[in-house]
């Protein structure tokens, strides 16, 4: 007897339909074909034990199980439930015409229980796209799949529930969630608030500008000056995610297996802070079976690299193209996948190997040559992609002891949102440009025109401060964002003057 059961395979951050065909014939044998990996090939042991422990069995027959399309690699243990139900139906232990209406996936424990799987959201979206009535999967994944509207989602804890459902012995309760309530509840209060930050008004201003224009930023300061504390608060002033952004972000975390159980959708912008010992594959993604890296997990959010010069040079260099293209392309001999990687880079570093500025501080023990070697760990092309450089100095005691709270994040966020709305309207006819940091030379010439006073100011700064050529475009883009924060249509000389301050590492002789 031939039976067809339906599942899906994850490819990048999208799912592709998989038809599991089970054919039972005379003889003895178990043949699983269709490019399965080791975990899929081992499924017969888990299925056999699970069925035996719930009162069913695999009769002594010849089984040929084909996972179509056969040229698409199948990975992981999520096909256990699919194959098990196919075998039971093909051997007559389940009699039902309902199998074709559902996509079925789940990993089996030896006692028949179901373990959670990765990539639930893209699988549910594919089931909806193909017109399936519903999807059956482990209970832990039900909330995640239930955010897809128009699809019945049944979360089960044991294979017996699935068997009885198809035999019409029991009814399964479909999972229901209020998508908008869950989504907007996560947006209410940021975890870290700028109101708790003492002093550092200049740095907070820089972070506001960076958030408003989507600019990459690097903070340079000694240990204990508050660089990490400030970085953790920037995601709280970024504009709230749109629902479509949240769905795309959730898909990436789902595929990577990073979605917490019970959370149906990620409503807050991600904040990823990998350790400086991270490998290039872990940062950008890849591996024998490609998985999203940290820069994709930071999609629509913030990637914070603390102590930037401590990262391996190769790790930083592989990040250059994703910073430009906003996506990661991973190619292998037989296939290639693309992961989104539109993130805001926030980096921090000490000004020298000793950790302190060369400004008379007695703790400064690094020579100019040592400082030059230290700073040269960050390549020019990478610095080209960082718009704002800001120096972070230690907070004096009188400000640390001040009991007054600073400006809260929700107030700063409102100014950022207004500036982003201006940019959204400005770039509404551009497909790939949504905020100022994404402008190229053509858009800069169009939207960053300067009057004579501003142009002369910028020329004098370039000459007197010995700013590099790469600073020119960056200053114009940052000045455009400063003008947007003040709702000014044209860039003024004071906007240029402020933007010039934020190019510390471009100054000749900054060491």
């Amino acid at each position: 007897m031939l039976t067809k059961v339906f599942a899906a395979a994850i490819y990048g951050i999208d799912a592709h339909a998989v038809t599991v065909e089970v054919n039972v014939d005379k003889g003895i044998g178990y043949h699983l074909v269709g490019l399965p990996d080791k975990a899929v090939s081992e499924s017969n042991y888990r299925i056999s034990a699970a069925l035996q422990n719930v009162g069913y069995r695999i009769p002594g027959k010849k089984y040929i199980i084909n996972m179509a399309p056969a040229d698409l690699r199948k990975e992981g243990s999520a096909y256990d439930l699919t194959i098990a139900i196919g075998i039971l139906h093909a051997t007559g232990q389940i009699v039902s015409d309902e199998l074709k209406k559902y996509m079925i996936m789940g990993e089996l424990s030896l006692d028949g229980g179901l373990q959670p799987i990765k990539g639930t959201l893209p699988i549910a979206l594919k089931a909806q796209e193909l017109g399936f009535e519903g999807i059956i999967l482990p209970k832990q994944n039900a909330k995640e799949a239930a955010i897809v509207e128009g699809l019945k989602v049944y979360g089960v804890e044991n294979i017996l529930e699935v068997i009885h459902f198809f035999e019409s012995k029991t009814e399964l309760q479909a999972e229901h969630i209020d998508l908008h309530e869950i989504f907007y509840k996560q947006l209410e209060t940021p975890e870290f608030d700028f109101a708790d930050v003492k002093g550092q008004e200049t740095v907070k201003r820089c972070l506001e500008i960076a958030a408003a224009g989507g600019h990459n930023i690097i903070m340079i300061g000694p240990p204990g000056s508050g660089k990490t504390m400030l970085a953790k608060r920037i995601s709280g002033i970024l504009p709230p995610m749109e629902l479509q952004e949240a769905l795309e972000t959730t898909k990436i975390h789902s595929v990577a297996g990073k979605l917490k159980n019970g959370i149906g959708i990620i409503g807050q912008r991600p904040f990823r802070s990998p350790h400086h010992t991270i490998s290039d594959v872990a940062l950008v993604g890849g591996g024998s079976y490609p998985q999203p890296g940290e820069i994709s997990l930071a999609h629509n959010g913030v990637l914070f690299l603390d102590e930037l010069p401590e990262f391996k040079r190769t790790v930083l260099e592989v990040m250059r193209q994703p910073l430009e293209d906003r996506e990661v392309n991973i190619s292998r001999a037989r296939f290639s996948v693309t992961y989104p990687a539109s993130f805001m880079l926030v980096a921090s570093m000490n000004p020298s190997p000793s950790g302190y500025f060369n400004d008379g501080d007695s703790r400064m023990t690094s020579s100019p040559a040592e400082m030059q070697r230290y700073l040269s760990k960050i390549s020019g092309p990478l610095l080209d992609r960082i718009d704002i450089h800001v120096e972070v100095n230690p907070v004096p005691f009188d400000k640390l002891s001040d009991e007054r709270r600073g400006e809260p994040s929700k107030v700063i966020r409102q100014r950022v949102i207004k500036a982003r709305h201006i940019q959204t309207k400005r770039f509404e006819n551009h497909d790939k440009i949504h905020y100022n940091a994404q402008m190229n030379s053509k858009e800069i010439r169009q939207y960053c025109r300067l009057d004579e006073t501003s142009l002369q100011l910028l020329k004098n700064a370039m000459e007197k401060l010995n700013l590099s050529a790469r600073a020119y475009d960056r200053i114009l883009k940052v000045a455009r964002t400063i003008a947007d924060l003040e709702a000014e249509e044209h860039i003024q000389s004071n906007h240029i003057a402020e933007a010039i301050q934020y190019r510390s590492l471009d100054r000749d002789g900054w060491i």
Side-chain angles (χ1 to χ4, degrees):
M1 182 178 177
L2 175 64
T3 291
K4 294 185 178 181
V5 193
F6 301 96
I10 300 299
Y11 193 73
I13 64 168
D14 297 313
H16 293 254
V18 172
T19 302
V20 177
E21 302 172 319
V22 181
N23 187 73
V24 181
D25 206 346
K26 294 179 181 179
I28 297 293
Y30 186 95
H31 308 283
L32 182 60
V33 297
L35 214 59
D37 72 351
K38 187 67 173 176
V40 182
S41 299
E42 292 173 345
S43 62
N44 64 312
Y45 299 108
R46 294 189 294 272
I47 292 169
S48 177
L51 291 180
Q52 185 177 354
N53 285 322
V54 296
Y56 290 80
R57 62 190 180 88
I58 300 180
K61 300 283 185 179
K62 180 180 179 181
Y63 297 89
I64 299 177
I65 301 170
N66 178 45
M67 307 180 76
D71 62 345
L72 181 66
R73 189 168 185 83
K74 321 303 184 303
E75 303 170 7
S77 54
Y79 302 99
D80 291 359
L81 182 61
T82 319
I83 297 171
I85 295 298
I87 290 174
L88 290 175
H89 189 268
T91 55
Q93 298 179 76
I94 293 178
V95 179
S96 175
D97 295 326
E98 300 291 305
L99 291 184
K100 61 185 179 183
K101 297 180 180 179
Y102 298 93
M103 196 173 273
I104 305 169
M105 296 199 75
E107 177 188 337
L108 281 172
S109 298
L110 299 186
D111 62 356
L114 290 175
Q115 300 296 322
I117 62 174
K118 297 179 181 180
T120 301
L121 179 55
I123 291 170
L125 289 168
K126 176 57 68 172
Q128 180 203 44
E129 177 189 332
L130 296 177
F132 284 93
E133 183 178 312
I135 181 171
I136 298 173
L137 71 174
K139 188 76 173 178
Q140 297 95 320
N141 299 118
K143 287 187 181 297
E144 181 185 340
I147 69 176
V148 179
E149 297 179 350
L151 184 72
K152 294 180 180 178
V153 176
Y154 297 113
V156 294
E157 296 180 346
N158 193 285
I159 190 175
L160 270 179
E161 297 177 47
V162 184
I163 295 170
H164 292 163
F165 172 70
F166 284 117
E167 291 180 334
S168 300
K169 292 182 178 179
T170 59
E171 289 288 333
L172 293 178
Q173 295 298 316
E175 187 78 26
H176 294 287
I177 65 169
D178 188 331
L179 175 60
H180 290 276
E181 180 183 352
I182 294 175
F183 176 58
Y184 289 110
K185 186 176 181 180
Q186 294 184 58
L187 301 177
E188 290 177 359
T189 307
E191 184 178 0
F192 300 102
D193 200 310
F194 271 108
D196 302 322
V197 179
K198 305 292 185 181
Q200 302 294 14
E201 301 304 325
T202 300
V203 187
K204 286 191 282 188
R205 168 67 173 171
C206 284
L207 293 175
E208 179 181 340
I209 294 168
H215 302 286
N216 299 323
I217 181 172
I218 183 168
M219 296 179 285
I220 310 111
S225 57
K227 302 185 296 295
T228 303
M229 176 190 66
L230 288 159
K232 286 182 177 179
R233 283 158 173 77
I234 194 167
S235 57
I237 63 172
L238 288 170
M241 283 202 290
E242 300 291 336
L243 185 57
Q244 190 58 40
E245 288 181 307
L247 287 171
E248 190 173 36
T249 303
T250 304
K251 282 172 67 175
I252 298 170
H253 285 250
S254 175
V255 168
K258 302 292 186 180
L259 203 61
K260 296 179 181 178
N261 288 339
I263 296 181
I265 188 170
I266 294 176
Q268 293 184 341
R269 293 189 180 273
F271 180 88
R272 305 294 300 183
S273 179
H275 193 262
H276 62 78
T277 57
I278 191 172
S279 68
D280 49 355
V281 172
L283 184 68
V284 302
S288 301
Y289 305 124
Q291 289 288 306
E294 287 292 332
I295 63 175
S296 293
L297 294 171
H299 181 61
N300 291 322
V302 175
L303 178 69
F304 176 50
L305 301 183
D306 198 8
E307 301 302 335
L308 190 66
E310 301 300 327
F311 285 79
K312 291 185 291 185
R313 182 70 174 258
T314 55
V315 171
L316 297 179
E317 292 308 300
V318 296
M319 194 171 58
R320 282 162 45 187
Q321 185 177 357
L323 277 170
E324 196 74 27
D325 298 339
R326 307 282 173 174
E327 63 181 20
V328 181
N329 296 303
I330 299 170
S331 297
R332 296 292 179 265
R334 300 183 61 177
F335 63 91
S336 63
V337 295
T338 300
Y339 295 116
S342 181
F343 60 91
M344 180 179 166
L345 175 63
V346 178
S348 72
M349 59 178 286
N350 294 331
S352 65
S354 64
Y356 299 94
F357 287 109
N358 188 15
D359 58 359
D361 194 313
S362 59
R363 293 169 292 187
M364 172 63 182
T365 59
S366 303
S367 67
E370 290 173 328
M371 290 181 67
Q372 185 63 58
R373 284 196 298 271
Y374 180 73
L375 296 175
S376 66
K377 293 181 180 180
I378 308 171
S379 68
L382 180 60
L383 281 177
D384 275 346
R385 291 159 174 82
I386 300 178
D387 295 341
I388 298 176
H389 313 157
V390 58
E391 297 176 16
V392 184
N393 293 298
V395 181
F397 178 78
D398 58 336
K399 289 190 176 181
L400 280 176
S401 58
D402 193 339
E403 294 295 329
R404 290 173 295 181
R405 288 172 61 82
E407 188 176 31
S409 291
K410 63 180 181 181
V411 175
I412 302 174
R413 174 186 262 187
Q414 290 305 312
R415 294 197 295 267
V416 169
I417 292 172
K418 289 178 181 177
R420 283 288 183 101
H421 283 166
I422 293 172
Q423 295 165 50
T424 299
K425 186 175 180 180
R426 175 183 300 135
F427 302 122
E428 60 185 354
N429 296 322
H430 298 266
D431 293 336
K432 296 184 178 181
I433 300 177
H434 306 287
Y435 42 84
N436 291 336
Q438 295 176 326
M439 288 192 293
N440 55 34
S441 298
K442 180 182 177 181
E443 283 74 34
I444 290 174
R445 289 195 300 271
Q446 182 178 354
Y447 300 114
C448 300
R449 293 192 177 97
L450 302 181
D451 56 28
E452 285 299 323
T453 305
S454 300
L455 195 60
Q456 188 61 44
L457 176 62
L458 181 53
K459 179 183 177 181
N460 292 340
M462 297 284 291
E463 293 174 351
K464 293 183 179 180
L465 299 177
N466 290 317
L467 295 176
S468 63
R470 68 181 177 229
Y472 179 78
D473 284 354
R474 301 294 180 263
I475 289 172
L476 289 178
K477 289 198 286 187
V478 172
R480 178 67 269 172
T481 300
I482 296 171
D484 290 341
L485 281 167
E486 297 179 5
E488 293 283 353
E489 183 178 354
H490 301 290
I491 297 175
Q492 308 294 331
S493 57
N494 61 303
H495 304 147
I496 289 290
E498 183 176 358
I500 290 169
Q501 300 178 50
Y502 306 143
R503 298 300 301 176
S504 297
L505 295 179
D506 280 328
R507 298 177 188 177
D508 187 31
W510 177 79
I511 292 177

